[in-house]
Amino acid sequence: MKALLETNFGKILSTETQENKVIFEVSLNAKHDIYQGHFPFKPIVPGVCTLQLVRELLEIHLGKKLRFSSSKNVKFSGMIDPNTTPQITVEIQNLTTDSTQKIKASVFCKEQTFCKYDGEYVMQ
Amino acid sequence: MNILEIDLLVNVDNVANFLPQQAPFIMVDSLLETTENTAISQFLVKSDNVLVNDGILQESGLIENIAQTIALKAGYESVLRNEKPQVGFIVQIKDLSILDFPKIGDVITTKIEILMNLQQMLVIKGESFCDEKVLAICEMRVFLDNPTKA
């Protein structure tokens, strides 16, 4: 199997780079296979896929493969139904040039936040 | 303590009956044992797993495996009471460490312990292994809810 973005889980609509921060607008594909099982009665973006999506976006931005290593805190404050929320914003902060990236990420749509976390990734 | 020893009562052939998640998003195969506050599951990493990339189960799969071990314990207990398995949502993950990633063909053993049971909210400690190696450790808060119909 491939990375989520390679299986059309979502698509990058735009990328905006600021000083040490990058902001992506991403469309979600409610027809992705994952929603046959999560859940059969209603499509909900699995929280763990949100985390993986953030890593894949960061990999694209940095042009490097990353390995997830740790997080002190991941908070999911809302569920994403890809039919009613077909587009999300992913903001990744604290980018450095180090081989270890200690980032802060938030995933939201307009006023509604779905996920916030700090994450440590190691470049491969 | 009320101890239920199960000899693979939940296995790869019937696991879908105990979970709200369905294929291709099932990240546990079997329930080896459960007590009032603990459970142990196993999971074989297959090549067609949607969270496998480059032959490796990604962090998403490891975290989901811990969450579904909780869901499987809860689902097993629901079925024993003649109820439908509840839907679990991860609300928070604390102190998550991923130390190693399993490959296709590896079998993951995952242990969870309930630290707090606040009605619909469970606080658990989860740990997964492959052979003797620790893969993932975390504390997780999961909200359990009844499945809504489409």
Side-chain angles (χ1 to χ4, degrees):
Chain A
M1 299 298 286
K2 295 174 172 175
L4 286 177
L5 286 171
E6 292 169 343
T7 62
N8 196 24
F9 182 81
K11 220 165 155 179
I12 302 172
L13 301 174
S14 68
T15 309
E16 188 192 330
T17 312
Q18 295 174 7
E19 220 171 307
N20 62 349
K21 157 162 128 176
V22 57
I23 302 163
F24 297 93
E25 287 295 324
V26 180
S27 66
L28 297 170
N29 170 21
K31 302 265 180 284
H32 194 277
D33 275 358
I34 281 177
Y35 302 115
Q36 288 178 23
H38 197 280
F39 292 95
F41 48 85
K42 186 189 172 110
I44 299 286
V45 178
V48 297
C49 291
T50 305
L51 296 186
Q52 183 164 331
L53 186 64
V54 172
R55 173 174 51 79
E56 291 182 15
L57 291 169
L58 189 55
E59 286 177 335
I60 289 169
H61 178 69
L62 297 170
K64 293 256 167 56
K65 282 270 171 204
L66 297 170
R67 184 165 46 84
F68 182 94
S69 117
S70 66
S71 172
K72 282 256 169 272
N73 198 3
V74 182
K75 219 161 174 199
F76 294 103
S77 45
M79 286 178 247
I80 307 172
D81 174 343
N83 283 317
T84 53
T85 308
Q87 189 178 328
I88 53 171
T89 308
V90 176
E91 193 177 294
I92 307 174
Q93 293 188 59
N94 285 0
L95 299 174
T96 61
T97 50
D98 303 344
S99 61
T100 301
Q101 294 284 330
K102 292 183 185 181
I103 57 107
K104 281 188 188 300
S106 58
V107 178
F108 55 94
C109 177
K110 297 188 185 102
E111 303 299 302
Q112 196 185 358
T113 301
F114 299 110
C115 174
K116 271 190 181 214
Y117 76 98
D118 65 87
E120 200 171 312
Y121 297 88
V122 180
M123 276 186 197
Q124 293 191 289
Chain B
M1 204 194 296
N2 174 27
I3 296 177
L4 295 162
E5 281 281 339
I6 305 154
D7 186 17
L8 286 191
L9 255 191
V10 177
N11 59 52
V12 67
D13 298 320
N14 67 5
V15 67
N17 301 335
F18 298 89
L19 289 171
Q21 293 87 356
Q22 297 295 309
F25 211 73
I26 292 185
M27 299 290 153
V28 278
D29 289 335
S30 55
L31 187 61
L32 301 194
E33 81 174 55
T34 172
T35 69
E36 191 180 348
N37 286 315
T38 65
I40 303 176
S41 72
Q42 278 192 331
F43 183 49
L44 167 66
V45 179
K46 291 195 199 152
S47 59
D48 62 355
N49 186 312
V50 288
L51 300 178
V52 163
N53 185 15
D54 289 335
I56 302 284
L57 185 67
Q58 306 291 292
E59 69 271 27
S60 50
L62 283 167
I63 301 165
E64 186 66 18
N65 167 254
I66 291 175
Q68 288 195 14
T69 301
I70 308 163
L72 184 55
K73 171 179 163 55
Y76 178 74
E77 289 164 1
S78 294
V79 170
L80 285 185
R81 291 193 302 266
N82 270 326
E83 292 167 9
K84 278 199 168 160
Q86 290 180 303
V87 185
F89 297 100
I90 304 171
V91 175
Q92 191 176 19
I93 308 167
K94 280 165 83 175
D95 297 324
L96 168 65
S97 283
I98 308 252
L99 303 166
D100 214 337
F101 293 83
K103 299 184 295 292
I104 291 168
D106 284 346
V107 174
I108 310 174
T109 303
T110 304
K111 298 178 182 177
I112 61 112
E113 182 189 356
I114 298 174
L115 303 176
M116 258 193 285
N117 187 343
L118 311 161
Q119 302 281 359
Q120 284 183 294
M121 182 82 80
L122 294 178
V123 183
I124 68 102
K125 184 181 184 243
E127 211 169 349
S128 56
F129 305 84
C130 180
D131 300 321
E132 302 294 291
K133 270 185 314 194
V134 178
L135 302 173
I137 311 179
C138 68
E139 190 182 302
M140 195 179 275
R141 281 170 190 254
V142 176
F143 179 76
L144 293 173
D145 202 1
N146 289 317
T148 45
K149 296 206 176 70

